Amino acid sequence: MRFGVKADQPGLAGPTQDPNTPDGFEIQIARTIARKFDREASFQHITSATRETKLQSGEMNVVIASYSMTDPRRAEVDMVGPYLRSRSGIMVRSGYGGPDDVHSFSGADVCTADGTTSVDLIEKELKNQKPQTAPSFGGCIEMLRQNKVKAVMTDKLILEGFVGKSAGEFTLLAAEFGSEGYYGIAIPKNHRAECLQIMEIVKEYVDSPEWKSHFGVYFPGVKPDDYAVGSALVDAKSTCSP
């Protein structure tokens, strides 16, 4: 099974010594799904902006890439989940002494990734000021490191992963903003049988001790209950087209 995954999101799907073998919470989900289908999992790195096109072209079978479940996206691809939830947060350099409030930043102060729901959310929160963007969050991290922006804003869980791997270079503010987003697994439309099978796999997974175990491995020190979901939510939010 060909999975589209992120390459630079520690905790979810981060780099390893071998760039062809990513590791993280989402990678474990992919391997769980492949195993249930009695297949091998192969991985290709994608960006947020290319998720739909990779599926619709047939290049990818499945995308598991911090993919927030929204109605416009459900119109393009089928989505199963969630397997995680998160509100939006703010990551800054350690030593930041400014206000702990999203509204204390201007659009020029902030970076987020192209093709994410965070772009519109940040613009709305900052009263129509557009944030700076990069093709990936790795690009935003470099902008923050080089003092080209004051903050990186996106889903708080994504930022938890970066902070955890930063050796004290970055910190996460307590402030949260926006409504909760839900991460889903996407497949091309018109594969209902496979979609329903993945749905059953995800329902079993999110209610199992394995979910909590994997979360603890990839997000040590982070409270799993802040990001956990249950099988009832998977039933409510999944979309498998006829």
Side-chain angles (χ1 to χ4, degrees):
M1 297 181 74
R2 301 185 304 277
F3 290 90
V5 298
K6 295 293 182 68
D8 63 349
Q9 291 185 357
L12 289 171
T16 61
Q17 289 183 340
D18 178 359
N20 295 315
T21 58
D23 194 25
F25 188 88
E26 293 182 328
I27 305 304
Q28 291 301 321
I29 297 174
R31 290 183 173 131
T32 297
I33 292 171
R35 185 171 63 250
K36 295 285 188 178
F37 276 87
D38 197 26
R39 302 279 186 87
E40 293 291 326
S42 66
F43 300 100
Q44 179 175 322
H45 301 155
I46 59 173
T47 65
S48 295
T50 61
R51 288 177 294 203
E52 289 95 350
T53 55
K54 293 285 187 181
L55 285 170
Q56 292 168 339
S57 69
E59 190 172 346
M60 296 288 99
N61 301 127
V62 185
V63 163
I64 307 180
S66 57
Y67 205 179
S68 297
M69 304 175 78
T70 67
D71 288 340
R73 288 170 175 173
R74 288 187 183 95
E76 299 288 331
V77 295
D78 281 347
M79 302 195 84
V80 173
Y83 55 88
L84 286 166
R85 62 187 171 93
S86 180
R87 292 188 70 198
S88 295
I90 306 164
M91 186 176 72
V92 294
R93 291 182 298 277
S94 294
Y96 169 82
D100 186 359
D101 181 2
V102 64
H103 302 109
S104 68
F105 297 90
S106 70
D109 291 334
V110 176
C111 184
T112 197
D114 287 324
T116 66
T117 55
S118 296
V119 176
D120 291 338
L121 177 60
I122 293 167
E123 185 176 350
K124 179 180 178 181
E125 288 287 334
L126 300 186
K127 303 186 187 313
N128 297 321
Q129 296 182 59
K130 292 184 180 293
Q132 297 196 54
T133 60
S136 70
F137 287 110
C140 285
I141 297 298
E142 284 306 309
M143 291 176 70
L144 182 61
R145 182 174 285 126
Q146 295 169 22
N147 206 26
K148 293 180 179 178
V149 293
K150 295 180 180 178
V152 176
M153 296 185 188
T154 189
D155 300 341
K156 194 170 183 179
L157 181 60
I158 292 174
L159 300 177
E160 296 268 26
F162 284 118
V163 169
K165 296 293 185 182
S166 74
E169 184 179 7
F170 305 121
T171 190
L172 192 59
L173 299 185
E176 297 180 342
F177 64 96
S179 57
E180 279 194 324
Y182 298 96
Y183 289 178
I185 296 164
I187 70 170
K189 287 187 175 293
N190 302 315
H191 294 273
R192 183 172 176 80
E194 292 87 347
C195 185
L196 292 173
Q197 189 172 347
I198 292 172
M199 185 174 168
E200 291 305 311
I201 294 167
V202 174
K203 286 167 62 178
E204 179 181 345
Y205 179 70
V206 298
D207 285 345
S208 73
E210 189 178 28
W211 183 98
K212 199 166 189 176
S213 174
H214 285 162
F215 189 92
V217 168
Y218 295 109
F219 294 96
V222 179
K223 295 179 181 179
D225 289 348
D226 290 347
Y227 301 101
V229 296
S231 56
L233 205 54
V234 180
D235 271 328
K237 292 192 170 291
S238 296
T239 303
C240 296
S241 58

